Amino acid sequence: GEYGDGEGQINGPSGLAFDADENVLVVDTLNHRVQKFTKDGKYLMGWGSFGDGDGEFNMPWGITVDELGDVYVVDWRNDRVQKFSADGEFIFSFGSTGSEKGEFNRPTGVAVDSDGDIYVADRENNRVQLFNSEPRFVEQFIGDATLSKASREYMMTNASPNRMRDMADLEPAKRLRRPASVAVDDQGRMFVP
């Protein structure tokens, strides 16, 4: 799409996802909507407008499509996630502003695994929250970084970084810091860049 606010025009795209038919769903952030295009760029449909009601957005951000074709959109300024059918019909929303379980502070990314569990990158709360398909809060991930095999070998064979590591407070380095997105593979592994 080209820049603008008409059908098929986009202003501030922040996320995209593909459905089973290889159509592209684009989060049109500054126009507060989602638009669907064919893989060749032909406009198919769109939904959403500015607001905080069902099906309305205030700067939508991340997007994903589950195995059934339902669409999940992170509603960034409304601190929630909304679920829609493939045709853009509102199904449900969850989340509110805050830092408690099930609350968000500027969420940015969403992923759904093969069991229908929903992962949300809760950026300003420095965590990823997991919800089941109902959606009910299940748990939160705040980070527990580990070393890769190559990094571990490097640390074991080099004394200087080991000494610095032993003297450092590593707790903050192990935590998630403003996660921007989240992905889940078909083996149920979560990736947070």
Side-chain angles (χ1 to χ4, degrees), residues 23-43:
N23 295 316
V24 183
L25 289 101
V26 179
V27 177
D28 189 0
T29 300
L30 298 180
N31 287 325
H32 312 286
R33 66 186 176 192
V34 173
Q35 296 198 72
K36 186 188 289 191
F37 300 86
T38 66
K39 63 182 176 181
D40 300 322
K42 180 183 171 213
Y43 175 80

Side-chain angles (χ1 to χ4, degrees), residues 89-107:
E89 293 177 37
F90 175 82
I91 298 175
F92 64 64
S93 70
F94 62 96
S96 59
T97 303
S99 59
E100 298 297 316
K101 295 174 181 178
E103 296 177 340
F104 301 116
N105 186 356
R106 300 299 186 251

